[in-house]
Amino acid sequence: MAKKSKASSAKSIWIRRILVMAGCLAAGALVYISYRVFGPNTKAFGDNKYFYIHTNSTYNNVLDGLEEQGIIRNRSSFNWVAQKLDYPSRVKAGRYKITRGMSNFDIARLLRSGKQSPVVLVINKLRTKDDFVRKVSTNLEADSGILRSLMRDAVYLRQFGLDTNTVMCVVVPNTYEFYWNTGAEAVFKKLEKEREEFWTQERKEKADKLHLTENQVTILASIVEEESNKNDEKPLIASVYLNRFRKGMRLQADPTVKFALQDFGLKRIRENHTLYDSPYNTYRYEGFPPGPICTPSEKTLNAVLNTPETDYLYFCARSDFSGYHAFAATYAEHLVNARKYQAELNKRGF
């Protein structure tokens, strides 16, 4: 009986030992698996990093990108978790914010959800279509070639009341939010929607009172935008050009010459510049140019819409180089102002 008792006791001890060892192994495996799933798997970078997944990317493209862009430390552990979450069949294009210390589970779940971090696109003054296309394609996935084609497609633009010259009227400088993988046409349509919202009934009525179309207001505002950065005098500048326009005079706006020449660094417009043959050169052609020469700000658009009644027909920069202008109703008065400014230009070596 004693021998049986000892054998039974030894067996029981071994069973307990095996169970303890099995438990330890199971716990270790659980810890290991938990670490692979929930432990941090990002490399050492700043607090945040953005990961971009292009449209039509495969899961392997994502894996390569995560590794090549220095986002994950261990590819195999991420792959293991991603497979368990069925992410390979649910890849979504976009821009995703990866925070330092995120786990495989966090990253895979975020990418699988398609919850992007939007791009804040600040559009200020742009002068040309190429400037606009570059701005968009640098910040978004939108194809630059497709965007250029849309802006050259007269039939497509007609539905928005635009043509290939007035197309830049669609861009009202503002702060916009886009998903990074927004396509070219979707970008254009969003800007058109913003333009529609800008043109409230009140603004349309003000344009009608000036006997201008919305596009003409934008074109005039683009000239005013280039003439001055002083918002308080922009309505007066607009009045000069409106008075010339109504009298059938040529606008003779220096910024239109710069645009025609595509030389925006010109400090001084000389006679040979004004002879350049272009429909945008208002020294050679009457009326407004066929399209805007930049994207005017909301303040400048409002300045044009609130143009006061004046008898001014001329203006030139003040000789004190304050950035303001001297206005005149007669050419004789204008010549006095212009000579003062030109004398100061010569003195400063321009």
Side-chain angles (χ1 to χ4, degrees):
M1 292 290 292
K3 286 183 178 180
K4 284 185 178 181
S5 178
K6 286 181 179 179
S8 176
S9 177
K11 184 178 180 181
S12 178
I13 290 171
W14 275 107
I15 291 173
R16 284 199 296 272
R17 287 176 178 174
I18 291 171
L19 288 174
V20 169
M21 290 174 65
C24 290
L25 289 172
L30 184 61
V31 169
Y32 175 72
I33 292 171
S34 296
Y35 186 80
R36 281 171 68 94
V37 175
F38 300 108
N41 189 32
T42 57
K43 287 194 173 183
F45 50 76
D47 291 338
N48 299 314
K49 193 165 186 174
Y50 290 96
F51 179 57
Y52 297 84
I53 301 177
H54 289 267
T55 299
N56 298 323
S57 289
T58 65
Y59 173 61
N60 281 334
N61 294 148
V62 174
L63 270 182
D64 292 340
L66 287 169
E67 197 169 35
E68 290 166 3
Q69 294 177 37
I71 290 176
I72 58 173
R73 289 184 300 168
N74 188 292
R75 177 184 178 124
S76 63
S77 66
F78 175 83
N79 179 53
W80 187 84
V81 173
Q83 297 286 351
K84 299 300 179 188
L85 292 177
D86 194 30
Y87 171 59
S89 64
R90 300 164 73 174
V91 172
K92 297 180 178 70
R95 172 183 184 258
Y96 300 93
K97 184 169 75 172
I98 308 298
T99 303
R100 185 176 60 185
M102 287 179 74
S103 66
N104 287 318
F105 179 78
D106 293 331
I107 298 171
R109 186 175 61 172
L110 172 65
L111 300 183
R112 188 185 66 173
S113 73
K115 188 177 180 180
Q116 298 187 49
S117 291
V119 174
V120 177
L121 186 63
V122 180
I123 297 180
N124 295 314
K125 183 168 71 175
L126 302 171
R127 290 191 173 98
T128 67
K129 297 174 193 176
D130 283 342
D131 289 341
F132 172 64
V133 170
R134 194 178 304 113
K135 180 78 172 180
V136 172
S137 60
T138 298
N139 290 278
L140 304 175
E141 190 188 25
D143 186 274
S144 59
I146 294 175
L147 188 54
R148 279 196 184 88
S149 294
L150 290 175
M151 299 178 78
R152 293 170 181 162
D153 189 336
V155 175
Y156 176 78
L157 296 175
R158 197 175 300 145
Q159 64 184 303
F160 305 115
L162 301 169
D163 58 37
T164 55
N165 288 309
T166 59
V167 61
M168 286 294 284
C169 289
V170 79
V171 185
V172 178
N174 208 337
T175 299
Y176 298 87
E177 270 197 6
F178 291 95
Y179 286 123
W180 175 77
N181 59 319
T182 302
E185 187 171 6
V187 169
F188 192 89
K189 285 184 174 179
K190 180 166 183 173
L191 289 172
E192 169 58 25
K193 184 174 182 295
E194 292 284 338
R195 182 177 76 126
E196 288 176 8
E197 291 177 2
F198 171 82
W199 282 104
T200 60
Q201 188 59 37
E202 180 184 5
R203 287 188 172 115
K204 289 179 179 179
E205 289 172 0
K206 287 183 176 182
D208 286 340
K209 286 181 181 178
L210 295 172
H211 304 292
L212 298 176
T213 66
E214 295 168 19
N215 287 345
Q216 285 177 321
V217 169
T218 302
I219 292 168
L220 177 53
S222 73
I223 297 173
V224 175
E225 182 77 37
E226 290 283 63
E227 289 283 15
S228 177
N229 59 10
K230 306 294 185 184
N231 290 318
D232 54 342
E233 73 166 7
K234 286 178 179 179
L236 292 180
I237 294 175
S239 77
V240 171
Y241 287 126
L242 265 181
N243 289 339
R244 289 182 183 178
F245 178 72
R246 289 165 179 165
K247 288 178 178 292
M249 297 171 62
R250 292 178 184 175
L251 298 188
Q252 294 188 324
D254 288 359
T256 65
V257 178
K258 293 181 183 180
F259 185 87
L261 293 167
Q262 293 290 286
D263 186 349
F264 303 106
L266 273 177
K267 298 291 185 183
R268 196 170 183 177
I269 302 299
R270 301 185 184 275
E271 186 179 0
N272 64 305
H273 297 137
T274 64
L275 298 175
Y276 185 75
D277 191 12
S278 165
Y280 283 89
N281 182 357
T282 56
Y283 275 84
R284 291 201 61 167
Y285 293 92
E286 293 179 5
F288 295 122
I293 61 172
C294 73
T295 53
S297 68
E298 182 175 333
K299 287 184 178 179
T300 307
L301 287 163
N302 287 332
V304 171
L305 290 170
N306 292 286
T307 301
E309 290 291 334
T310 73
D311 58 356
Y312 294 140
L313 288 173
Y314 307 96
F315 70 97
C316 72
R318 289 185 187 174
S319 58
D320 61 3
F321 279 72
S322 62
Y324 282 93
H325 293 80
F327 296 85
T330 67
Y331 187 61
E333 185 183 356
H334 171 65
L335 281 178
V336 173
N337 295 330
R339 284 169 184 153
K340 288 180 182 177
Y341 179 65
Q342 287 165 2
E344 191 61 29
L345 278 176
N346 291 332
K347 186 189 296 184
R348 300 188 182 208
F350 289 113

